[in-house]
Amino acid sequence: MVMYERILVPTDGSEGSDRVVEHAVRLADVHGAAVHALYVVNSGSFAGLPMESSWEGLDEMLRADAEEAVSEVKRVATDAGVPVETSVIEGSPSREIVEYAEREGCDLVVMGTHGRGGLDRLLLGSVAEKVIRASNVPVLTVRVGPDAGEDDEKAATPSRTRTTEEEPVGADGERESESGPGAEAD
């Protein structure tokens, strides 16, 4: 039985997103699945710019960044022999990710999270958390950022029971971790 057929990888091309892409492509390879690379241009976040700003130049810059990000996912998937589709859309990232996953019949969303908590999470918000809460499609988060590789050495130690930093999330939106269902997502 094939568990996954379509794996969605929302990307923003940021530092650390390569960990997410590599994990998603490995999963797709194991399951014989296709990868869907999605970049959501969040043009709404630039609404506060002065009117004299060049919207045309800004849009071109955002689209160029988007194309570069999905091209990198395509390169990694193609090198691994995994079928890949790329899309660049505009809107609210969390809402568009959820809608895309459902519209395209994706079986899994694999996305990065920075592991913020407390006040940082409250003030900055988290696209991953919003997707987890709204998605009917299971979400797997992969820790990215400066502290993401710190546990790599510990993960190789035989006494360590948890060897990955991925945090599977069930269909009900609750993260499944060592702490059990209902553990706080970031």
Side-chain angles (χ1 to χ4, degrees):
M1 175 175 103
V2 176
M3 184 170 239
Y4 303 119
E5 292 181 12
R6 292 176 203 83
I7 298 175
L8 174 58
V9 184
T11 184
D12 60 3
S14 63
E15 188 175 332
S17 62
D18 55 334
R19 285 176 54 93
V20 178
V21 172
E22 290 169 9
H23 189 83
V25 168
R26 283 194 312 258
L27 271 174
D29 187 38
V30 166
H31 291 278
V35 167
H36 289 246
L38 176 66
Y39 188 108
V40 180
V41 177
N42 188 4
S43 58
S45 65
F46 296 97
L49 290 176
M51 288 302 287
E52 59 271 6
S53 296
S54 170
W55 289 106
E56 186 173 309
L58 181 60
D59 186 58
E60 289 174 11
M61 182 183 73
L62 292 172
R63 298 248 174 227
D65 288 349
E67 291 299 332
E68 185 177 328
V70 295
S71 291
E72 178 60 18
V73 177
K74 185 173 186 172
R75 183 195 63 76
V76 172
T78 301
D79 288 353
V82 171
V84 62
E85 291 183 29
T86 63
S87 297
V88 174
I89 58 179
E90 191 172 318
S92 166
S94 57
R95 180 173 40 245
E96 295 299 331
I97 291 166
V98 170
E99 289 178 4
Y100 182 96
E102 291 175 1
R103 179 176 61 248
E104 298 298 321
C106 295
D107 308 299
L108 180 68
V109 178
V110 178
M111 59 190 305
T113 182
H114 291 279
R116 291 185 192 104
L119 189 58
D120 280 346
R121 187 178 76 190
L122 179 65
L123 295 175
L124 299 174
S126 169
V127 172
E129 183 175 4
K130 291 175 186 171
V131 170
I132 289 167
R133 293 186 187 283
S135 181
N136 291 322
V137 176
V139 176
L140 176 79
T141 61
V142 179
R143 177 89 35 118
V144 297
D147 62 338
E150 289 179 7
D151 287 338
D152 288 348
E153 286 183 32
K154 293 177 188 174
T157 307
S159 63
R160 181 141 168 105
T161 57
R162 186 169 178 213
T163 59
T164 64
E165 296 197 20
E166 293 78 31
E167 301 166 346
V169 176
D172 62 355
E174 293 294 325
R175 185 171 78 189
E176 302 168 4
S177 69
E178 289 182 308
S179 304
E184 249 190 354
D186 53 310

